[in-house]
Amino acid sequence: MKYAFFPGCVSQGAAPELYPAARLICQRLGIELEEIPAWTCTGAGVMQEKNQLFGDTLNARNFAKAERMGLPILTICSTCQGVMSQANLRMKRDPEYLAQINSYLAEEGLEYKGTAEPKHLLWILIEDVGLDKVLELVTRPLAGIRMAPFYGCYIVRPTEALDIEEHPERQTSLETLIETLGATVVDFAGKTRCCGFPILTINEKNSMAMVGKHTSEAKDLGADAMVTPCPLCHLNLDGYQPKASAQLRRKVDLPILHLPQLIGLAMGISPQELGLQKHIMNTQPLAMKLGAAR
Amino acid sequence: MDVTVKIKRFDPEADHPESYWQEYAVALPDNATVLDALIKIREEQDGTLTLRCSCRSAICGSCAMRINGHAALACKTALSRVLDGDNAVVVEPAGVMPVVKDLTVNFDPFWDKIRAVEPYLQPQGAEPAGEYIASNESMLHLSGVTACIMCGACVSDCTVLEVDPTFLGPAALAKAYRFTADPRDGNREGVSRERLHQLSEPTGIWDCTRCNECVEACPKGVAPMDRIMALREQAVNAGFTRNNGARHTSAFTESVGHSGRLDELMLPIKSVGGITNVGAMLSYAPVGWRALTHGKMPPLRHKNVENVENVRRLFRKLEPDLYGPEIGKSSPFG
Ligand code: FES
């Protein structure tokens, strides 16, 4: 099983623990990853609000390269997933738009034929790899661990771009995975809401209120930790949790895991190898509860 | 079909008013809507159940409520599509707005915000001799927004309003767009400068998180968030760029346009107006310091992707206004 790998900027920038953890678990699962050469940022929805054409053209460029590799695209970022899917829908729906974009790509000898179907690792585990295969590799079931799912907006909305109609199971994919790994799902209203990251530098008070609300809600329901397939959510929920706690005037102390880290822990990989020590919120109590020494 | 409807109820006149859940078992034809079920319950089982409805045809906008946790029109939602494995559905009042009783909420905050955007045409300059002329295309384009039936579904599910009641919100901002995009509103070029100036202030267009909840909730395809994004573009084009939101968008585009990827170190610095904004920079310091000591600081020297000329060529071509020499690349001090 081989994929054109799209890691996204954050997994190599502000959340550097994500990239190696993803590579590690993919290797164990027999997922071969070949990085798309010189891939560019998807625009994260930010570029699109100013200039959709520029943003979409950059995505088409990545897609064209993956087509040339003859491989389906795998990403490890909810935001990248959503932005790619939305750009893809606009291009597939409007041949004139795609032709216009291809006219810009032609100068470097690229063409996007419209066949890409970018998929998040989360979906690939369920749809392509299969949960049986995942379960086979679980050597340290997460029994007794209460885990709150946090999706990130872009992997759940807009449903049209994400093919939810055809894949309704995607809406509960994170819960499915948590259960497969042996942990208990902490279901809560905030799981598909916004983490607040997009407005961090614009309205920090609101952004922190969102972090505080979601983390404290999960904590109140007895969560040991939260898991997210989105590194941007992770940045806010983990990196800014101390600030959000201060605003909330309450200590929350909820560790936030990246999706591949959760899987890695269940596979018996050490917290150190998965980069858990790089988190802002202390992950040690969770590791101890799991019986996973550093 | 036999279904169970689980309803969140609230009676303000109870001795100790508190919301609680109540379940009703009800038999309905297969093509029934959620509203059909609620009306049947009210008429045959429990006359105290309170809800708003009128047209039953997704026109009047009275019956927005949360169905299985997400806002929708009860009259437009087929029951068969929302039942779970046990043939049950969960119905709650709309979010964000205060509950009056059971499934009815107080719309005052909704209307206050609609009023705040002055939802009427405000042409400037001398009146034309005859009528104001608008092209067909420009008005056809607006039909998507004028389809709003003010049901409040978007407001109910807005992630910002949930934490900040001062945000203008999706319905009012989509309404504002209906006027800024109208060629008759504003100056002779059809630019509604005064409106765009106001909307660029805090509680306006830049406070939206782009979470897409309103797009999913809207039963009429208004896509309020897309209108907010269009307002951002209009505001920037009209020159209202001295705010963190507009700076963030430009800085992001510049970073990716020049290097192919996001320079995570420069972005927050440029968004708050550069290293000279000492107050804002200091507020990031504790987080930055914590990140540094945990070994998760983004690389100080931001690298370009291979053959970056290809990305820059697209940048120059598609975003000529922003394209220029790289300033302060990869170092807040350089
Ligand atoms: S009853 Fe009129 S919109 Fe539902």
Side-chain angles (χ1 to χ4, degrees):
Chain A
M1 209 174 286
K2 194 171 174 183
Y3 291 89
F5 185 28
F6 184 86
C9 305
V10 181
S11 78
Q12 291 179 315
E17 65 280 2
L18 171 59
Y19 185 89
R23 281 226 174 249
L24 245 162
I25 67 135
C26 282
Q27 192 188 5
R28 296 219 179 173
L29 285 159
I31 300 174
E32 211 181 315
L33 298 175
E34 189 180 327
E35 206 161 310
I36 299 174
W39 54 269
T40 56
C41 175
T42 65
V46 182
M47 284 174 75
Q48 282 77 359
E49 70 193 35
K50 188 172 189 301
N51 187 334
Q52 196 162 74
L53 179 62
F54 186 21
D56 287 356
T57 304
L58 290 183
N59 281 288
R61 197 168 167 272
N62 292 333
F63 296 164
K65 289 179 179 180
E67 270 178 345
R68 193 174 273 183
M69 293 161 79
L71 296 172
I73 299 172
L74 177 150
T75 180
I76 49 175
C77 169
S78 292
T79 302
C80 300
Q81 173 68 53
V83 177
M84 285 195 279
S85 292
Q86 290 172 34
N88 207 14
L89 180 67
R90 283 191 285 271
M91 291 188 270
K92 286 185 178 181
R93 186 187 265 169
D94 185 350
E96 267 175 51
Y97 186 54
L98 178 59
Q100 183 191 358
I101 286 175
N102 271 326
S103 74
Y104 306 135
L105 297 185
E107 286 179 47
E108 55 176 309
L110 285 172
E111 186 198 355
Y112 176 44
K113 298 192 181 67
T115 65
E117 270 180 53
K119 267 176 149 182
H120 195 287
L121 173 67
L122 173 64
W123 296 347
I124 285 174
L125 290 176
I126 294 174
E127 294 165 24
D128 302 2
V129 176
L131 292 172
D132 294 348
K133 171 84 187 169
V134 177
L135 196 57
E136 262 175 44
L137 292 165
V138 172
T139 56
R140 183 166 55 206
L142 309 177
I145 301 291
R146 295 178 57 81
M147 193 60 62
F150 196 92
Y151 281 86
C153 298
Y154 280 81
I155 202 169
V156 285
R157 288 179 300 271
T159 46
E160 191 191 7
L162 300 164
D163 255 338
I164 300 293
E165 187 94 39
E166 195 154 311
H167 292 280
E169 75 281 357
R170 287 179 179 176
Q171 282 175 308
T172 46
S173 48
L174 203 46
E175 288 93 322
T176 307
L177 199 73
I178 292 172
E179 278 169 4
T180 303
L181 301 174
T184 306
V185 174
V186 175
D187 201 4
F188 75 115
K191 69 183 174 188
T192 56
R193 305 289 273 175
C194 178
C195 70
F197 185 72
I199 51 166
L200 179 62
T201 57
I202 298 161
N203 189 329
E204 190 185 281
K205 188 164 162 260
N206 285 356
S207 182
M208 291 304 98
M210 290 176 193
V211 172
K213 185 172 172 26
H214 303 320
T215 51
S216 62
E217 197 179 331
K219 187 82 180 184
D220 286 344
L221 290 165
D224 294 304
M226 189 178 268
V227 60
T228 179
C230 182
L232 284 82
C233 294
H234 191 275
L235 275 182
N236 225 31
L237 296 169
D238 177 59
Y240 280 83
Q241 201 183 118
K243 211 168 198 180
S245 272
Q247 183 173 307
L248 194 64
R249 293 169 184 277
R250 176 185 160 182
K251 222 168 157 45
V252 181
D253 265 343
L254 188 70
I256 316 288
L257 300 184
H258 295 285
L259 177 74
Q261 292 176 325
L262 182 75
I263 299 165
L265 284 173
M267 286 178 171
I269 303 173
S270 77
Q272 181 87 31
E273 269 181 287
L274 294 166
L276 257 62
Q277 73 285 359
K278 294 198 172 179
H279 290 199
I280 300 303
M281 300 315 298
N282 188 4
T283 54
Q284 205 137 36
L286 175 74
M288 301 231 305
K289 193 165 178 182
L290 259 172
R294 282 199 175 197
Chain B
M1 60 189 161
D2 295 321
V3 306
T4 306
V5 187
K6 196 176 169 193
I7 303 175
K8 193 176 206 175
R9 303 206 55 189
F10 175 77
D11 178 7
E13 288 169 356
D15 287 344
H16 303 284
E18 234 175 56
S19 61
Y20 60 98
W21 292 99
Q22 193 164 352
E23 283 186 19
Y24 299 91
V26 50
L28 290 145
D30 288 351
N31 60 359
T33 64
V34 172
L35 184 62
D36 291 335
L38 296 172
I39 291 176
K40 192 159 190 213
I41 292 167
R42 186 181 61 185
E43 285 179 357
E44 295 177 6
Q45 298 185 32
D46 188 344
T48 68
L49 180 65
T50 307
L51 62 132
R52 279 197 195 101
C53 64
S54 175
C55 71
R56 305 185 193 193
S57 318
I59 295 167
C60 73
S62 313
C63 69
M65 54 188 75
R66 277 189 175 154
I67 300 168
N68 291 341
H70 299 284
L73 294 178
C75 71
K76 198 182 177 234
T77 307
L79 201 47
S80 58
R81 283 183 64 100
V82 291
L83 293 175
D84 67 9
D86 299 323
N87 261 15
V89 61
V90 179
V91 181
E92 295 165 83
V96 167
M97 293 165 279
V99 178
V100 179
K101 183 170 188 288
D102 296 339
L103 300 173
T104 56
V105 294
N106 182 347
F107 260 66
D108 286 353
F110 178 95
W111 295 116
D112 287 348
K113 303 238 171 98
I114 297 279
R115 263 181 232 112
V117 301
E118 304 184 349
Y120 36 85
L121 273 181
Q122 297 180 24
Q124 287 164 357
E127 269 178 46
E131 59 278 292
Y132 284 96
I133 308 285
S135 72
N136 268 344
E137 306 84 75
S138 63
M139 296 317 281
L140 266 179
H141 159 71
L142 280 177
S143 66
V145 211
T146 50
C148 173
I149 56 172
M150 316 250 192
C151 66
C154 58
V155 165
S156 159
D157 284 11
C158 174
T159 48
V160 178
L161 282 171
E162 188 174 59
V163 298
D164 180 4
T166 67
F167 178 45
L168 276 169
L173 289 172
K175 184 57 77 188
Y177 173 82
R178 183 254 167 273
F179 293 99
T180 62
D182 190 312
R184 298 167 296 175
D185 196 84
N187 64 19
R188 213 174 295 157
E189 283 78 46
V191 179
S192 314
R193 289 192 59 84
E194 198 34 55
R195 288 186 196 271
L196 292 169
H197 180 80
Q198 288 286 330
L199 294 167
S200 300
E201 296 290 309
T203 75
I205 51 178
W206 295 103
D207 277 353
C208 165
T209 61
R210 280 185 280 111
C211 74
N212 260 304
E213 287 274 18
C214 59
V215 177
E216 286 298 308
C218 177
K220 290 289 169 182
V222 173
M225 187 195 93
D226 295 350
R227 312 298 172 178
I228 299 172
M229 295 309 118
L231 281 168
R232 286 182 181 179
E233 196 177 347
Q234 289 175 349
V236 169
N237 290 342
F240 299 109
T241 51
R242 293 176 65 87
N243 57 69
N244 287 3
R247 277 193 289 257
H248 180 76
T249 304
S250 297
F252 196 113
T253 306
E254 278 177 61
S255 170
V256 176
H258 278 304
S259 70
R261 292 185 196 160
L262 181 59
D263 184 348
E264 287 156 316
L265 199 60
M266 270 320 286
L267 188 64
I269 295 165
K270 287 194 177 174
S271 300
V272 296
I275 196 82
T276 48
N277 185 346
V278 179
M281 282 314 302
L282 278 178
S283 84
Y284 287 101
V287 177
W289 178 248
R290 241 180 248 122
L292 198 65
T293 52
H294 284 73
K296 60 178 289 163
M297 209 48 186
L300 279 172
R301 195 92 203 131
H302 185 64
K303 278 204 301 238
N304 296 331
V305 298
E306 224 175 290
N307 300 326
V308 74
E309 323 72 73
N310 287 321
V311 180
R312 291 190 183 163
R313 182 177 46 76
L314 293 171
F315 185 14
R316 192 168 49 228
K317 182 168 221 141
L318 300 175
E319 188 64 88
D321 293 346
L322 211 56
Y323 183 81
E326 279 178 280
I327 301 162
K329 179 175 170 289
S330 296
S331 161
F333 309 101

